[in-house]
Amino acid sequence: MLHKDKYHAIGLMSGSSLDGLDICYVQFQQDDAHFQYNILAADCNLYDDNFRNTLRQAPNLTAFELAQLHTKVGKYFGELTQQFIAKNKIHNLDFICSHGQTIFHQPALSFTSQIGCGAQIAAQTQCKVICDLRSSDVAVGGQGAPIVPIAEKYLFPQYSIFLNLGGIANISFHDENTILAYDVCAANTLLNFLSKQKKLDYDNDGNLARSGKIIPELLDEFNAIEFCKQTAPKSLGTEHVFEHWIALTQKYNQCIEDKLATAVEHIAIQIKNSILSHNTSYNSTILISGGGALNTFLIERIQQQTGIKTVISDILTIQYKEALAIAFFGLLRLLELPNCLASVTGAKKDVIGGAIYLP
């Protein structure tokens, strides 16, 4: 257990959109129950197509192959982190917290799986590593997701609604004593899948979607997906996005621009529905982060649908908020404070999640 006023940590995040590994070096300062953060350095190591495809196909591997990949990914993440440490001349690191790469997320079946061996990261960096962040919550009946709201509570106390537009869109509402948070629908995993059919990694500023026309039948089918009708707590895995959202797009022959326009409208509608179901005041402000915050057209449609003011974070927080949150999750683990909240995940109790590997 740490006993300091300042802590230096690295958070590692590899999300469902499979863009790359986000590395965030941050200083936390604690004053009683209050925390402040300062991002000192951050970088995104983009994956090449071969590695990205390997991760995407991981659910189809044999048990032996998946165990091999778990070790390989951990070693790779460790090497990238060590290069980042050397590049930024970091000498006062207290710990590294790694989310790993989610391969299976099945809380209804009592398991979730993030690969990227923590022992390998510790060996490569010679630093204490926290990983396997979600399993403890799932073990006591929780969804194991989302885990970012605990960082929002402590690091962004001036906001009450948070929207993260990553591979999956998730939202959190912070009331005086409770936090309600859950996954809303597919987001960049769906949008990027469609963009790649135009040989683009993503739809820059949402320009392709802006030029398209909504396909009413597809929009109806998106909005009728069973997950969208469920109440919280609920969470999505990438496998669900491919099974439900992406599969629907392949039923239609319209152009990619039209499919993108329809997907954007669906995301905006589902966010509106989430806000309406929470009886949110229309004087509220939403803090938006994640790669989707840079999709100008998507933000416009969210504003149009919700009528609520949106605030986009500074560029570092937009891109690295999840990696920042992962680092903070690790800090709470070492301070032996709850980092998974039952009000968020639906677990039987708050838990202190995360396994620790020593170098």
Side-chain angles (χ1 to χ4, degrees):
M1 186 171 180
L2 295 178
H3 296 280
K4 301 167 62 176
D5 293 326
K6 292 184 179 179
Y7 308 90
H8 291 84
I10 284 178
L12 305 180
M13 182 65 200
S14 183
S16 55
S17 56
L18 298 176
D19 296 328
L21 179 67
D22 286 343
I23 305 179
C24 182
Y25 173 48
V26 57
Q27 175 185 283
F28 295 111
Q29 184 163 343
Q30 183 182 13
D31 181 12
D32 294 327
H34 302 285
F35 294 87
Q36 293 181 320
Y37 77 93
N38 182 23
I39 297 176
L40 302 175
D43 200 1
C44 178
N45 292 269
L46 297 177
Y47 300 144
D48 62 35
D49 288 341
N50 287 337
F51 187 71
R52 186 178 294 114
N53 289 333
T54 296
L55 293 179
R56 187 171 286 120
Q57 297 302 319
N60 303 318
L61 297 177
T62 66
F64 182 85
E65 291 167 339
L66 188 61
Q68 277 189 314
L69 185 61
H70 173 59
T71 300
K72 177 182 177 181
V73 170
K75 184 178 180 182
Y76 180 51
F77 283 6
E79 291 170 347
L80 291 177
T81 306
Q82 182 54 39
Q83 292 167 15
F84 176 87
I85 290 170
K87 175 183 176 181
N88 291 284
K89 299 180 172 59
I90 298 171
H91 302 294
N92 56 347
L93 194 59
D94 292 305
F95 65 91
I96 297 165
C97 189
S98 175
H99 175 270
Q101 182 67 54
T102 298
I103 302 302
F104 301 108
H105 183 66
Q106 299 287 340
L109 301 177
S110 299
F111 76 92
T112 185
S113 175
Q114 288 76 42
I115 65 171
C117 177
Q120 284 286 341
I121 299 173
Q124 296 297 321
T125 61
Q126 288 300 293
C127 184
K128 183 183 299 180
V129 171
I130 300 131
C131 61
D132 191 17
L133 311 183
R134 302 179 185 270
S135 294
S136 293
D137 182 80
V138 172
V140 292
Q143 290 285 310
I147 59 176
V148 171
I150 191 70
E152 295 168 344
K153 173 183 177 180
Y154 285 106
L155 302 181
F156 304 93
Q158 67 271 40
Y159 296 100
S160 60
I161 309 176
F162 300 85
L163 175 64
N164 185 71
L165 297 170
I168 292 165
N170 52 67
I171 197 165
S172 59
F173 302 92
H174 292 240
D175 294 331
E176 187 173 346
N177 298 312
T178 62
I179 301 174
L180 175 67
Y182 51 92
D183 289 342
V184 176
C185 61
N188 291 339
T189 298
L190 171 61
L191 299 179
N192 292 352
F193 176 87
L194 294 170
S195 298
K196 288 182 190 306
Q197 295 180 47
K198 301 286 288 187
K199 302 192 183 304
L200 297 169
D201 289 334
Y202 59 93
D203 183 7
N204 188 38
D205 288 334
N207 289 330
L208 288 176
R210 188 188 298 276
S211 69
K213 296 179 180 179
I214 292 172
I215 307 167
E217 298 82 3
L218 176 57
L219 181 60
D220 289 344
E221 288 205 71
F222 276 153
N223 291 330
I225 290 172
E226 187 60 33
F227 180 86
C228 297
K229 302 176 183 178
Q230 294 173 8
T231 57
K234 58 179 183 175
S235 59
L236 281 171
T238 302
E239 65 266 38
H240 305 128
V241 176
F242 274 83
E243 180 182 356
H244 300 293
W245 280 266
I246 288 174
L248 283 178
T249 68
Q250 296 174 329
K251 291 172 52 179
Y252 291 82
N253 295 323
Q254 283 89 339
C255 67
I256 294 301
E257 289 82 354
D258 290 354
K259 292 180 181 181
L260 280 165
T262 308
V264 164
E265 196 68 11
H266 162 69
I267 294 166
I269 288 171
Q270 291 306 313
I271 291 166
K272 176 194 70 174
N273 291 345
S274 294
I275 291 170
L276 289 177
S277 69
H278 194 70
N279 295 319
T280 301
S281 166
Y282 272 74
N283 293 321
S284 299
T285 300
I286 308 176
L287 180 66
I288 302 181
S289 60
L294 302 176
N295 185 323
T296 307
F297 183 61
L298 176 58
I299 300 303
E300 289 175 9
R301 295 311 304 153
I302 291 171
Q303 287 179 319
Q304 181 67 30
Q305 284 286 348
T306 64
I308 294 181
K309 180 182 178 182
T310 60
V311 174
I312 308 299
S313 307
D314 63 273
I315 190 64
L316 278 179
T317 305
I318 287 175
Q319 188 165 356
Y320 298 103
K321 182 187 170 202
E322 286 194 303
L324 165 67
I326 295 304
F328 186 73
F329 188 103
L331 175 60
L332 294 181
R333 171 65 182 90
L334 294 182
L335 294 175
E336 298 180 6
L337 296 172
N339 50 18
C340 277
L341 303 178
S343 67
V344 172
T345 68
K348 296 182 179 70
K349 63 177 183 178
D350 295 347
V351 300
I352 302 171
I356 299 175
Y357 286 91
L358 301 177

